[in-house]
Amino acid sequence: MTARSDELQITAINRLSDALDLPDGGGVIPVAIAQRSDDLDPRVSVGASLDNSVRDNRDESVTATVRVIVDGTQSFVDANGTLALSRLLSDVSDELTTGRDDGWRPTGVNSEEEIAWASELNRYLGVVELGVERTGEHSYYQD
């Protein structure tokens, strides 16, 4: 079992890219490049971090957090309303709290911030943090 935050982030980005019905001009990207991607509207930024890792002989249990930021410009909200961003945020929660065969098991929504204007970004944004966990044989012992 490999438990790395970058692999979890890629898994979440791929799942959301496949599942979300984004309008033309929107995109799902890593949170690290969000500021360089102002052209995406709406923008879904994904980050992941490992919270805890416990070894038990050959096995390892890992808990992690996936943080997703959904944002859109004033012109996007003028055309679609904040409800479009709220629905997108709900779709993110629905997708990432559904179990899949990717090794990570969802544990639920840890926190959620409703869509609101963020003057420092000059965009409307909302955030959801979701917990996931993974248990299995440590990668050191796998062939």
Side-chain angles (χ1 to χ4, degrees), residues 8-10 12-14 16-17 20 22 26-48 65-72 85 88-89 92-93 96 121 123-130:
L8 174 57
Q9 182 182 32
I10 291 166
I13 288 170
N14 290 339
L16 292 174
S17 294
L20 298 177
L22 292 172
V28 180
I29 58 171
V31 73
I33 64 167
Q35 286 185 320
R36 295 186 317 209
S37 302
D38 272 346
D39 58 319
L40 298 176
D41 198 20
R43 179 173 61 189
V44 179
S45 308
V46 180
T65 300
V66 177
R67 182 178 180 157
V68 182
I69 303 166
V70 172
D71 62 63
L85 292 175
L88 190 55
L89 194 61
V92 166
S93 293
L96 295 181
L121 296 177
R123 287 177 172 255
Y124 286 87
L125 80 105
V127 179
V128 63
E129 286 187 355
L130 306 113

Side-chain angles (χ1 to χ4, degrees), residues 83-109:
L83 183 57
L85 292 175
S86 294
R87 286 184 174 156
L88 190 55
L89 194 61
S90 293
D91 290 346
V92 166
S93 293
D94 290 346
E95 176 60 27
L96 295 181
T97 56
T98 302
R100 294 284 170 97
D101 190 24
D102 58 15
W104 292 98
R105 188 176 70 79
T107 60
V109 174

